[in-house]
Amino acid sequence: MSVDTAAGVAQRFKELYGAEPEGVWAAPGRVNLIGEHTDYNDGFVMPFALPHTAIAAVSRRADGVLRLHSADVEGGVVELRLDDLAPESDRNWTAYPSGVLWALREAGHPVTGADIHLASTVPAGAGLSSSAALEVVVALALNDLYSLGQKGWQLARLCQRAENVYVGAPVGIMDQTASACCESGHALFLDTRDLSQKQIPFDLAAEGMRLLVVDTQVKHSHSEGEYGKRRAGCEKGAALLGVDALRDVAYDDLSAALDRLGDDEEVRRLVRHVVTEDQRVERVVALLESGETRAIGPVLTEGHASLRDDFRISCPELDLVVDTALAGGALGARMTGGGFGGSAIVLAEEADVATITKAVEEAFGAAGFTAPRVFEAVPAAGARRVG
C-alpha cells in the first residue's frame, strides 16, 4: 500500500469531518495456502497476507458517538450511538466496524467514540477476507489511539467475536489472525486451538515460481446458511466421536473414527475432510521447511478434491480454474476461502504463468462465465500504522 493511498484517505477524512485524523492504519486481506474449514475445528491453517488492504483514517471522540464513512459504498457519513449498538441489529457494511467497537466495550475497554473513514483494495466476496481486514484495521487503530495494550492475537479474538456475535457470521479465528499477525515474505502456520504461531519463509519468486489468485467473480456470503450447516455438521461429528473438536481425531485413527460414525454419510464426509486437511497443513509445513517447495503443489490439489467431494463447497467456476490450470502445467491448484464462489489459487512455474492465465480466461469465456480476475499473490505485511 502506497503512502499516496494513506495520504488520500487522510485527506478524504479531513474533507468529511473537518479536521486531520489522528492517524492512518492498514490491515491486509489474506490468501489461505492450505487448511480450509479447519479453524473452527481447533485445527491448523496456513494463510499469508496480501498486499491488498483496508485503510482507515481515525480520530477519537469523547461523546459516545461513532461516525463511519466508506469510500467503497454509496452514501454519506453514518452516525451511531455506542450505547445503541446491539448484536445482529445492523445488516449493512457498518456492522463490521461498529461490531469492533461493541466488542471492545463489551470486553471492558474504555472506548468513547470515533470518527472513521475507510477505503479498501481487498476484493469483496472473493474469499480473501475483506471483512476481517475492515475489522482488524479498526481494532488496531482504536488499540493505538486509546492505548489499550492489546497484542495482535488478542485483537484478532475481539474481531472474531464482533463477527460471530455482532454480525452473526460463524467464522473461525484464521482470517482476523492472518490480518493482524502475518509477516512479509512468510506464511503463518497457526494452531487455532492455542493461537500459537510460526512464521514460515515463503518466497516463491526466489525459486522461480508464482502463486496466482483467480477471483471467479462468484460472490458468497459467510453469514448465509451453507457455511453454518458445515460448521454444525463438524460439531455433530465431534460430539458423536466424543472429542472436543475434530482436531482431536488423529489422522492414523481416521478409518476407525469413520466406522464409528456408521451410515451418517454427510457427517463422515465432513470429518474426513477436516482430519485429512489438518494433515495436509502439516505436510506443507514440513515440505517448505525442508526446501521442497514444488512438492506442495500436489498437496494443494488434494485439498481441492477434498473440499469439492467431501466438504462439497466448490462450484463449477472454481473447478474449472483448477482443472484448466492443472491441464496447463500448474504445479498445484485449489479453491481458497469459505467456498461457494470466491477465489482459487494456482501454484505455477514463472515461465508457465502467462499460458495458464490465458487458458483459464479462455475456458471461462467458452463456458459463458464472467471473466475472472487473475493476479499474483505475494506474502505481505500484517496490520500496521501507515500515517
Side-chain angles (χ1 to χ4, degrees):
M1 190 215 63
S2 69
V3 174
D4 289 343
T5 308
V9 173
Q11 176 59 34
R12 182 64 176 132
F13 179 99
K14 185 177 180 180
E15 293 168 4
L16 288 163
Y17 300 119
E20 300 280 355
E22 291 185 81
V24 183
W25 290 259
R30 64 96 189 98
V31 161
N32 193 23
L33 184 63
I34 192 74
E36 220 64 80
H37 288 270
T38 48
D39 60 343
Y40 54 80
N41 289 293
D42 283 2
F44 304 122
V45 295
M46 200 173 185
F48 63 86
L50 288 167
H52 307 71
T53 58
I55 308 152
V58 185
S59 289
R60 290 167 290 180
R61 295 180 66 95
D63 58 358
V65 170
L66 170 63
R67 292 196 294 180
L68 296 167
H69 185 269
S70 171
D72 308 305
V73 181
E74 291 287 334
V77 173
V78 177
E79 184 169 313
L80 303 165
R81 292 206 58 80
L82 297 187
D83 289 344
D84 295 337
L85 301 181
E88 299 194 53
S89 61
D90 186 349
R91 295 299 179 193
N92 300 306
W93 70 270
T94 49
Y96 297 98
S98 61
V100 170
L101 275 88
W102 172 85
L104 285 167
R105 283 162 53 87
E106 281 284 299
H109 297 295
V111 178
T112 54
D115 286 340
I116 302 174
H117 171 59
L118 292 153
S120 180
T121 59
V122 186
L128 304 175
S129 298
S130 57
S131 59
L134 276 184
E135 293 157 359
V136 170
V137 75
V138 170
L140 180 63
L142 296 172
N143 184 61
D144 288 356
L145 289 175
Y146 282 98
S147 302
L148 303 180
Q150 299 295 289
K151 304 291 188 186
W153 66 269
Q154 293 172 308
L155 293 177
R157 280 274 193 225
L158 285 162
C159 291
Q160 183 198 18
R161 177 165 169 76
E163 193 153 353
N164 287 170
V165 180
Y166 194 88
V167 178
V171 299
I173 190 65
M174 174 180 67
D175 297 349
Q176 292 83 1
T177 306
S179 188
C181 300
C182 277
E183 293 181 4
S184 178
H186 293 74
L188 178 68
F189 177 37
L190 174 67
D191 182 334
T192 65
R193 171 162 280 170
D194 61 12
L195 295 191
S196 59
Q197 304 175 15
K198 187 174 186 180
Q199 301 285 347
I200 308 293
F202 191 57
D203 184 358
L204 294 176
E207 299 187 60
M209 286 175 285
R210 296 288 188 268
L211 189 77
L212 302 177
V213 174
V214 182
D215 177 3
T216 65
Q217 307 283 349
V218 178
K219 306 301 183 188
H220 66 76
S221 175
H222 274 174
S223 51
E224 291 175 5
E226 291 300 323
Y227 183 100
K229 286 180 189 174
R230 300 305 187 281
R231 183 165 184 161
C234 290
E235 292 168 352
K236 180 181 178 183
L240 290 170
L241 293 170
V243 294
D244 290 337
L246 293 183
R247 149 74 173 277
D248 298 311
V249 180
Y251 178 76
D252 290 343
D253 297 334
L254 177 58
S255 181
L258 295 177
D259 287 344
R260 287 170 55 198
L261 291 172
D263 59 1
D264 192 333
E265 186 56 35
E266 182 177 1
V267 172
R268 283 166 56 91
R269 286 190 286 98
L270 297 178
V271 169
R272 183 165 53 228
H273 166 72
V274 172
V275 175
T276 58
E277 186 80 346
D278 272 334
Q279 194 248 5
R280 281 186 284 273
V281 177
E282 293 184 294
R283 284 162 62 196
V284 167
V285 171
L287 288 167
L288 290 176
E289 290 188 326
S290 64
E292 299 175 78
T293 307
R294 282 172 174 78
I296 74 172
V299 187
L300 303 183
T301 306
E302 283 177 33
H304 182 76
S306 183
L307 290 162
R308 180 191 66 210
D309 301 337
D310 277 343
F311 229 68
R312 299 191 180 180
I313 57 171
S314 190
C315 66
E317 292 86 350
L318 288 167
D319 293 340
L320 185 60
V321 174
V322 171
D323 293 345
T324 305
L326 294 173
L331 298 166
R334 74 173 192 89
M335 59 156 286
T336 187
F340 310 105
S343 298
I345 55 174
V346 177
L347 180 67
E349 301 287 358
E350 184 177 2
D352 294 332
V353 165
T355 302
I356 291 170
T357 300
K358 184 169 183 281
V360 169
E361 290 171 345
E362 288 179 349
F364 267 57
F369 296 152
T370 300
R373 177 180 180 220
V374 184
F375 59 92
E376 183 183 350
V378 179
R384 63 230 182 254
R385 186 166 184 162
V386 294

